[in-house]
Amino acid sequence: MANQSKSLLDKQIVSQAIIDSFKKLNPMVMMKNPVMFIVEIGTFITLILSFLPDAFGPSTVSRGYNIAVFLILLFTVLFANFAEALAEGRGRAQADSLRQTKSDTIARLVQKDGSIREVSSTQLRKGDIVRVDTYDMIPSDGEIIEGLASIDESAITGESAPVIKEAGGDFSSVTGGTRVVSDSIVMRVTSDPGESFLDKMISLVEGASRQKTPNEIALTTLLTVLTLIFLVVIVTLVPLANYLTVQLDVATLIALLVCLIPTTIGGLLSAIGIAGMNRVTQFNVLAMSGKAVEAAGDIDTMILDKTGTITFGNRMAAEFIPVSDVSHSDMTLAALQSSVKDETPEGRSIVELAHQIGAVWNEHEYAEADIMEFTAETRMSGLNLPGGTTIRKGAVDAIKKWIAAQNGTIPSDLDEKAGHIARAGGTPLAVTVNNRILGLIYLKDTVKPGLKERFAELRAMGIKTVMCTGDNPLTAATIAKEAGVDEFIAEAKPEDKIAAIKKEQAQGKLVAMTGDGTNDAPALAQADVGLAMNSGTMAAKEAANMIDLDSDPTKLLSVIAIGKQLLITRGSLTTFSIANDIAKYFAIIPALFILALPQLQSLNIMHLASPQSAILSALIFNAVIIPLLIPIAMRGTKYQAMNANRLLTRNLLLYGVGGVLVPFVGIKVIDLILATLL
């Protein structure tokens, strides 16, 4: 999004995050994170010991040691709070940027008598009719019911190029806060104040509606259980130490507990979730919940509606096919002339294709031509030129009747070529000039560019793609092959789409569905991840749990990547955090008991300077590693399309083995520095 992706080290965000880190020390806030709440309790106890060393019994360590443990624990908690506050700060920065877009604009409300009354955009209600002229801000979400205009959506989508929106087409939906840059439109308001997409995005990125996902709740439960287990372990160390005549001070026990519980992932868990949600909004996708984002990371099957999702939805010119004895250039020029005054999507596509081929004509020479509009009765359209030349295009049977009435000749290969187009799933339009049929225009529902490559990427991730369409099997097979989907369902009714989703879900698979029509709404509601196109109907958008503001069906690939990235990031840092404990175990346990049990010398592989130095080194490393991992938590680990086994192996080697080796190096370096200072 434009101006919304704030830098991770933005001074304003960082300074506010530092302030919020202290505010989050409130125990009522910290209780939401059990791991860090335990660390905060330990921080409070060591604070007491810093002033009253014998408050919990005789102490054998200095006041300075207690103060050092207190300060390190305090910074551990603050670093964890800072990570969460930084993620929230980036969300607030995005929300502020969106609020600048959402301003109280003046709307031209159309009255029942057709007159215009200027009102504040906050007074608009669903169903109101509004006129928006050139350079005006669109006052609310709506649907164009009259006109065509070029609209600058950069404030919402970040794309600088304006987009064409028109009444009656797939691209009739407009978003409040965007601006009309040419022509004018009449729109129907589709949302009440506070219910627009922009309002929902602001709420989303601020985190006001963010709830923990099932995966996150399960991981929090695991971390809590591990914390309780280590708490029991630390408590049992006291009688064991007494038996061995080893004095374990309260500050040392707290330090040991903090080092062994998974504080790293405990401190970063919330930041990972918030950052994942923020990344989705940066791809111009409105996610209704964090659960939907996470579910996208585990998708097995993706079901797509054809019309408006895989294809543009409008029939577009694909080829000009001349009949016998007619040159391709003559046919191309005739097709251009028959459509140059045709403002329908089909007509514009014919003109565009003719221009691409190189056909040109002087429009001024035909300024006085009579335009023959398409009607359901004639099923033709075209021009009558001043010199008597007649140009028509239309359905093949309609043109044949027209020629027969004029005593013209029907080309012998016309029906054969028209049948070939029909069998390929296209629509043939015949073109005639002065009662002579020159050829056929091949209209087809064109597949959106880039889809085949994106579907190949989904296949590499192990995700199956299924296209649903109401077309006959022959047409469906043609489109499916061109788009590159794995399977297709032809002549599909809304209940067939739901049945397909339920069939996949019954096999234990998670299913994503993309669509844009009212008939897609039930399937979007049934799917685990329902992504509706912003250009689609309100029914589809209300049924889905995600809305793509760019109306790009391949956007789900990006959402899936973000979902996988979120899950992988969480798993990677959890692995790293638990692996850290192995190194900290080798650092602290031998140092504590080596005097009473010389046999532990074989475990003292780091040869740290002293028991106190070992504990402080491990504690400092435990605190410092949290801010060092914040960039990974915020940006996510790098995701590459590969199978689950390779992905697991890579992450175990990188974050598992790395999580064991890095602390050995880090703790040893810190110990050498402490030994020098002390």
Side-chain angles (χ1 to χ4, degrees):
M1 289 185 186
N3 303 322
Q4 289 176 25
S5 299
K6 290 281 187 179
S7 168
L8 184 63
L9 299 178
D10 182 87
K11 291 183 179 179
Q12 185 176 355
I13 296 177
V14 170
S15 59
Q16 184 60 47
I18 293 173
I19 296 172
D20 290 343
S21 300
F22 286 90
K23 292 181 180 179
K24 288 177 178 290
L25 291 175
N26 183 341
M28 299 304 295
V29 176
M30 294 297 298
M31 286 179 67
K32 297 177 182 178
N33 189 335
V35 176
M36 299 314 300
F37 182 58
I38 293 292
V39 179
E40 185 177 48
I41 293 174
T43 305
F44 178 71
I45 293 174
T46 54
L47 175 62
I48 296 175
L49 292 173
S50 299
F51 294 97
L52 302 171
D54 299 323
F56 302 100
S59 175
T60 60
V61 297
S62 65
R63 186 188 301 270
Y65 175 79
N66 288 333
I67 293 174
V69 173
F70 161 71
L71 291 175
I72 297 170
L73 292 180
L74 176 62
F75 278 107
T76 302
V77 177
L78 288 175
F79 285 148
N81 289 348
F82 177 75
E84 182 176 5
L86 195 62
E88 292 173 346
R90 296 184 79 194
R92 282 195 298 268
Q94 287 181 321
D96 291 341
S97 179
L98 287 170
R99 280 201 184 88
Q100 293 174 7
T101 299
K102 182 179 171 16
S103 58
D104 185 10
T105 57
I106 298 299
R108 295 183 177 88
L109 182 64
V110 180
Q111 305 297 296
K112 291 183 179 180
D113 60 3
S115 61
I116 302 293
R117 180 166 66 93
E118 291 190 349
V119 299
S120 168
S121 61
T122 58
Q123 298 178 30
L124 295 177
R125 295 295 182 270
K126 188 181 296 184
D128 285 346
I129 305 299
V130 176
R131 180 182 177 87
V132 188
D133 294 324
T134 306
Y135 303 125
D136 285 349
M137 188 81 75
I138 293 176
S140 180
D141 292 351
E143 183 178 9
I144 300 174
I145 59 175
E146 182 181 324
L148 175 148
S150 178
I151 297 177
D152 177 8
E153 295 187 330
S154 59
I156 303 297
T157 65
E159 295 293 333
S160 58
V163 294
I164 303 297
K165 297 291 183 81
E166 61 182 324
D170 284 336
F171 296 93
S172 62
S173 179
V174 290
T175 306
T178 58
R179 187 182 298 276
V180 173
V181 294
S182 72
D183 303 291
S184 63
I185 56 173
V186 177
M187 57 171 278
R188 181 185 294 110
V189 176
T190 56
S191 64
D192 289 325
E195 298 177 357
S196 69
F197 290 153
L198 208 53
D199 291 310
K200 292 175 182 177
M201 288 192 74
I202 291 171
S203 174
L204 174 69
V205 298
E206 282 187 318
S209 60
R210 196 189 93 83
Q211 298 179 344
K212 287 189 175 181
T213 63
N215 183 284
E216 193 173 351
I217 292 172
L219 185 54
T220 300
T221 302
L222 173 64
L223 298 181
T224 302
V225 170
L226 287 176
T227 300
L228 292 175
I229 290 174
F230 280 115
L231 186 60
V232 172
V233 169
I234 297 303
V235 170
T236 58
L237 275 181
V238 176
L240 178 63
N242 289 337
Y243 176 78
L244 296 173
T245 67
V246 175
Q247 180 67 38
L248 293 180
D249 292 277
V250 174
T252 298
L253 291 171
I254 292 173
L256 183 59
L257 174 64
V258 170
C259 284
L260 294 184
I261 63 176
T263 51
T264 304
I265 186 61
L268 296 173
L269 183 59
S270 182
I272 294 170
I274 295 172
M277 291 289 288
N278 288 345
R279 282 197 297 276
V280 172
T281 65
Q282 291 169 10
F283 278 87
N284 306 325
V285 173
L286 178 61
M288 305 306 181
S289 70
K291 181 179 179 180
V293 179
E294 239 177 50
D298 286 329
I299 287 299
D300 301 294
T301 304
M302 180 173 168
I303 296 180
L304 306 100
D305 175 52
K306 188 208 77 171
T307 306
T309 302
I310 289 179
T311 65
F312 285 102
N314 293 320
R315 296 179 305 168
M316 302 178 70
E319 186 180 357
F320 301 135
I321 303 174
V323 293
S324 57
D325 300 328
V326 176
S327 68
H328 195 279
S329 59
D330 287 345
M331 170 57 198
T332 301
L333 179 60
L336 172 63
Q337 292 174 327
S338 71
S339 307
V340 76
K341 297 293 185 179
D342 186 351
E343 294 300 324
T344 65
E346 294 174 5
R348 290 198 296 271
S349 73
I350 293 170
V351 172
E352 182 179 351
L353 178 60
H355 284 161
Q356 290 176 358
I357 294 173
V360 294
W361 74 310
N362 189 345
E363 187 173 353
H364 297 294
E365 296 179 6
Y366 306 92
E368 299 180 3
D370 292 331
I371 301 173
M372 308 303 294
E373 300 286 354
F374 176 87
T375 65
E377 183 179 355
T378 64
R379 296 165 63 208
M380 294 186 298
S381 64
L383 300 174
N384 290 333
L385 301 181
T389 302
T390 59
I391 304 171
R392 295 288 188 273
K393 76 170 187 291
V396 174
D397 59 337
I399 293 293
K400 287 170 67 176
K401 288 180 182 179
W402 165 269
I403 294 296
Q406 305 296 325
N407 297 318
T409 303
I410 307 298
S412 59
D413 58 346
L414 179 67
D415 288 338
E416 179 187 349
K417 291 184 176 181
H420 178 74
I421 293 173
R423 286 191 296 274
T427 301
L429 291 183
V431 178
T432 175
V433 177
N434 289 334
N435 305 329
R436 180 192 179 201
I437 296 178
L438 276 70
L440 297 165
I441 300 172
Y442 178 5
L443 295 180
K444 60 182 293 187
D445 195 358
T446 307
V447 173
K448 294 182 178 179
L451 278 182
K452 193 164 189 175
E453 293 75 16
R454 303 304 294 274
F455 289 153
E457 292 181 47
L458 286 171
R459 198 172 297 111
M461 294 180 188
I463 298 172
K464 180 175 70 174
T465 53
V466 181
M467 181 187 78
C468 286
T469 176
D471 290 332
N472 61 66
L474 181 60
T475 302
T478 302
I479 297 293
K481 182 178 180 180
E482 187 176 347
V485 296
D486 297 315
E487 298 177 8
F488 67 88
I489 302 173
E491 298 177 342
K493 299 181 290 294
E495 51 268 30
D496 295 328
K497 297 177 183 179
I498 296 177
I501 293 173
K502 288 182 177 180
K503 179 182 177 182
E504 295 290 327
Q505 290 173 332
Q507 299 173 14
K509 298 178 180 179
L510 290 183
V511 181
M513 168 75 187
T514 67
D516 66 340
T518 301
N519 63 333
D520 297 324
L524 288 168
Q526 176 66 38
D528 299 286
V529 177
L531 178 68
M533 304 295 103
N534 191 31
S535 60
T537 63
M538 287 304 299
K541 289 184 276 192
E542 289 172 358
N545 51 21
M546 287 187 185
I547 298 170
D548 174 23
L549 298 180
D550 295 335
S551 299
D552 176 6
T554 64
K555 187 69 68 65
L556 189 56
L557 181 62
S558 300
V559 175
I560 289 172
I562 292 172
K564 288 185 179 295
Q565 188 183 48
L566 190 153
L567 294 173
I568 293 169
T569 301
R570 190 179 293 157
S572 299
L573 293 185
T574 300
T575 303
F576 186 86
S577 178
I578 295 175
N580 274 196
D581 295 339
I582 298 175
K584 287 180 279 190
Y585 172 88
F586 280 99
I588 296 177
I589 298 299
L592 289 178
F593 295 100
I594 199 167
L595 294 178
L597 296 172
Q599 295 88 340
L600 291 178
Q601 181 64 42
S602 58
L603 297 179
N604 188 24
I605 57 179
M606 282 189 274
H607 301 288
L608 303 180
S610 66
Q612 290 186 0
S613 173
I615 292 170
L616 291 178
S617 298
L619 206 56
I620 291 172
F621 176 85
N622 193 65
V624 170
I625 198 65
I626 293 177
L628 292 180
L629 292 175
I630 286 178
I632 295 178
M634 298 288 283
R635 294 194 177 97
T637 57
K638 185 177 180 181
Y639 172 72
Q640 295 177 338
M642 61 178 69
N643 63 50
N645 290 333
R646 285 185 58 198
L647 195 60
L648 177 62
T649 302
R650 190 193 71 169
N651 283 345
L652 283 177
L653 290 174
L654 185 60
Y655 293 97
V657 177
V660 173
L661 298 179
V662 170
F664 276 100
V665 177
I667 291 172
K668 181 61 178 179
V669 170
I670 295 171
D671 178 73
L672 291 174
I673 295 173
L674 289 179
T676 303
L677 295 176
L678 299 177

